[in-house]
Amino acid sequence: MTISKFTGGAFLLTLGLLGGCTAKFLDEAPADQITDVNFYQSQQDAIQAVTAAYSELTKEGQYNAAMWAFDIWSDVSSTGGDDGNDGIEYKQLEAFSVPTTNFIATRLWGGSFIALQRANIVIQKVPGIANMDPAIQKRCIGEGQFLRAKMYFDLVRAYGDVPLFTAPPTGPAAVNIPRTPAADVYKQIEQDLTDAIGNLPPSYSGADLGRATKWAATGLLAKVYITEGKKTEAAQRAREVINNSGKTMWANYADNFKIENENNNAKESLFEVQYVSGRNQYDRNNVGSAMNEYFGPRGANQTPGSGYGFNIPDPDFVAGYEAGDTRRAASVWSPGDTYPDGSKAGAKATGSPFGYNCKKWFIGKVNTNIWDSGLNVPVLRLAEMYLILAEAVGPTTEGLEAINKVRRRSFGLDYNAPSTAHDLTAATPNFTNAVLRERKYELAFEFDRWFDMKRAGTLYPTLTDHAFIPRMTQQAATLKGVTSNVHGVPTQNNLVLPIPQSEIDTNPGLVQNPGY
């Protein structure tokens, strides 16, 4: 039978889905000679099947290559790297000139569908496993529901309407289906997360740290609701996390991004992508994160491969930090900064004509080999719950306190403090914009900014206040003379990625997004 390359591809992974189990909470080799007949018989089978679904998060179809492309598509960063075709798949996004064969668009689609189809298998098969601890059985089902929702949330925001699978496809007719309206996809996401909240435990310990919890599902549901504009529901779910999860914010912002603080149940993280170091691999589809090397200052010899200098902060983004904001030093290498070896960051570097580099995922040469950083990526943090609550309830007492909770941690200033340049009171009409601006700096290089700009309608209002215009005029003459590395202008026709051409070719039911 004909199987779409990725959309239904995970249907064919039933027998091989245990390869590449990469999460820190479980790194076990699969049994030999596994078949669909002798698998899904035990509790260990269920756990390994869930872990296989998690494993796609670490790969290039998710956080190791695709997700950080959305920063480059936004007003936060540019591609960087070297001249010519270095990072061409990101330069195409940056220029808003994306072919239907673009690598990022293809891999995000593929990795997401592989993961969600593995989650579908878990949701279908695990309830039928006898002699299994009921609590672990319930948890495994909840993890599958959480991961399916997470993948569909990424897909629907990136592509719009997408094929909706709620069970593993059973044949060609079930694989090659048309795109489902985004509104219906969101309904399924909401249902999955609501179900997951009832199935997942509030916390883990020991080897299970890093699995999705009840509070991860609740926090993701709050984010889904605010994306849909359902402010009452978003506020309710954000409050639940803030008031009941037992989470607290780190006193220092930078502590969120240290290996020694990963999966700390008593602190800020709600859900993280699990990376493992020490495998000494050039492989974006394995257990290590490539971001330490990819984002390291190019040629500065601060990482095992001397740094590739991708995902460089834009000058207008850096200039937007308020005085005293500690998030800048935690997120951006700036000219004059001292590197770990005592050398100084220059005012200009290959791929970074203004001397800025992304610092948030930097760990240098410690505990890593090549593309092999063990630093986890926080997908959801408590600080974001405060900002979702603030956006949802507006400039009320509760909303002001929520946004100020985040600001006080960063530099001790409230929005309604007279000394801040962004003074706001309950009568200020632009409170939502203020919250979105706070998200821009609190969640910088955490791959949310493009989606925030898109849902807020701030991508292309007019040419005079266009978020991308400063970058186009300031950098056009300086970014190495490579016009494809200068941001183009987003329009109504390129606010989503193209459906991969390989999918269009194999599935006659798919219709391409307008403009591609």
Side-chain angles (χ1 to χ4, degrees):
M1 60 184 176
T2 301
I3 299 290
S4 178
K5 185 174 181 182
F6 288 121
T7 304
F11 170 58
L12 301 179
L13 299 176
T14 304
L15 305 185
L17 60 76
L18 296 184
C21 296
T22 64
K24 291 181 181 178
F25 47 76
L26 187 65
D27 190 14
E28 299 182 3
D32 291 332
Q33 306 302 318
I34 289 175
T35 71
D36 194 27
V37 175
N38 65 25
F39 200 63
Y40 308 110
Q41 302 297 314
S42 70
Q43 179 167 296
Q44 191 61 29
D45 292 347
I47 292 172
Q48 287 188 331
V50 172
T51 301
Y54 279 108
S55 72
E56 281 301 314
L57 290 171
T58 68
K59 299 180 181 180
E60 64 186 10
Q62 275 275 311
Y63 286 85
N64 236 0
M67 292 304 291
W68 57 267
F70 290 104
D71 278 348
I72 291 167
W73 221 8
S74 77
D75 61 349
V76 167
S77 65
S78 298
T79 300
D82 205 349
D83 291 335
N85 289 327
D86 195 26
I88 187 63
E89 61 270 33
Y90 297 98
K91 291 176 181 177
Q92 290 167 346
L93 289 166
E94 188 174 14
F96 291 93
S97 180
V98 185
T100 59
T101 56
N102 176 269
F103 177 82
I104 299 302
T106 300
R107 289 306 301 131
L108 178 63
W109 179 282
S112 299
F113 271 106
I114 287 172
L116 72 86
Q117 293 288 29
R118 289 178 177 179
N120 276 336
I121 294 170
V122 168
I123 295 166
Q124 181 188 73
K125 295 284 189 178
V126 170
I129 298 178
N131 302 317
M132 184 175 177
D133 183 330
I136 295 179
Q137 190 171 45
K138 183 178 179 182
R139 182 197 82 189
C140 287
I141 296 167
E143 289 175 280
Q145 291 161 338
F146 172 86
L147 289 168
R148 183 168 69 184
K150 197 267 186 218
M151 293 302 124
Y152 267 122
F153 187 45
D154 292 339
L155 284 167
V156 75
R157 290 185 299 166
Y159 300 92
D161 302 347
V162 292
L164 180 61
F165 295 90
T166 56
T170 56
V175 169
N176 294 327
I177 63 174
R179 298 166 69 180
T180 302
D184 293 333
V185 178
Y186 271 110
K187 287 179 183 177
Q188 184 62 49
I189 293 169
E190 291 176 13
Q191 186 62 59
D192 275 346
L193 291 173
T194 301
D195 292 342
I197 290 167
N199 286 329
L200 292 170
S203 63
Y204 297 95
S205 60
D208 285 322
L209 281 173
R211 295 183 179 277
T213 67
K214 169 184 179 179
W215 303 117
T218 308
L220 184 56
L221 186 53
K223 190 165 184 171
V224 169
Y225 280 141
I226 201 68
T227 299
E228 294 182 275
K230 297 181 178 180
K231 293 186 176 181
T232 299
E233 295 89 340
Q236 175 190 341
R237 294 301 186 175
R239 284 192 201 100
E240 289 175 8
V241 177
I242 291 167
N243 296 332
N244 302 321
S245 68
K247 296 290 182 179
T248 59
M249 289 170 58
W250 286 103
N252 298 312
Y253 176 78
D255 286 344
N256 282 292
F257 313 104
K258 295 179 179 178
I259 284 183
E260 58 267 30
N261 294 336
E262 291 177 344
N263 297 326
N264 189 323
N265 263 8
K267 285 293 182 182
E268 190 166 337
S269 176
L270 296 170
F271 184 70
E272 302 175 12
V273 175
Q274 307 290 307
Y275 282 108
V276 179
S277 66
R279 305 301 175 88
N280 198 33
Q281 295 166 325
Y282 284 99
D283 188 353
R284 296 189 305 193
N285 285 310
N286 215 297
V287 297
S289 169
M291 284 184 276
N292 177 58
E293 191 66 59
Y294 267 42
F295 301 167
R298 191 175 186 92
N301 198 33
Q302 301 304 310
T303 59
S306 195
Y308 293 6
F310 288 125
N311 199 16
I312 59 169
D314 283 335
D316 49 313
F317 164 75
V318 178
Y321 278 103
E322 295 176 64
D325 192 337
T326 58
R327 294 174 295 198
R328 173 174 173 170
S331 303
V332 178
W333 288 114
S334 298
D337 285 352
T338 302
Y339 291 138
D341 65 0
S343 62
K344 298 286 186 179
K348 187 175 182 178
T350 301
S352 182
F354 300 97
Y356 301 116
N357 286 101
C358 178
K359 185 179 181 181
K360 184 167 277 188
W361 309 115
F362 177 86
I363 62 170
K365 296 183 178 181
V366 180
N367 295 327
T368 183
N369 296 286
I370 320 300
W371 299 354
D372 199 13
S373 166
L375 182 60
N376 287 355
V377 175
V379 175
L380 291 166
R381 296 193 282 113
L382 185 64
E384 185 173 10
M385 297 301 106
Y386 281 110
L387 294 177
I388 288 173
L389 179 60
E391 184 177 347
V393 303
T396 60
T397 300
E398 182 183 35
L400 285 166
E401 177 58 25
I403 192 172
N404 287 334
K405 180 82 172 179
V406 175
R407 287 177 62 80
R408 289 183 200 121
R409 192 254 299 272
S410 297
F411 50 92
L413 285 177
D414 288 0
Y415 259 121
N416 53 356
S419 57
T420 177
H422 299 279
D423 181 29
L424 285 174
T425 67
T428 302
N430 292 320
F431 184 74
T432 297
N433 289 340
V435 176
L436 289 168
R437 184 189 183 283
E438 202 63 36
R439 286 180 62 90
K440 178 180 180 178
Y441 288 95
E442 176 66 27
L443 304 175
F445 308 108
E446 295 177 54
F447 325 130
D448 273 315
R449 177 61 177 169
W450 168 258
F451 301 117
D452 285 348
M453 295 176 74
K454 186 165 71 168
R455 68 184 175 83
T458 59
L459 284 170
Y460 55 93
T462 69
L463 289 180
T464 55
D465 62 357
H466 195 300
F468 291 85
I469 292 299
R471 185 164 22 197
M472 293 169 66
T473 56
Q474 180 181 24
Q475 296 187 356
T478 56
L479 279 176
K480 307 183 298 275
V482 181
T483 56
S484 64
N485 204 35
V486 179
H487 278 269
V489 177
T491 69
Q492 285 279 13
N493 283 338
N494 54 24
L495 294 182
V496 289
L497 291 171
I499 306 301
Q501 189 61 47
S502 56
E503 297 296 313
I504 299 288
D505 291 343
T506 57
N507 182 357
L510 292 179
V511 176
Q512 185 57 269
N513 278 321
Y516 291 105

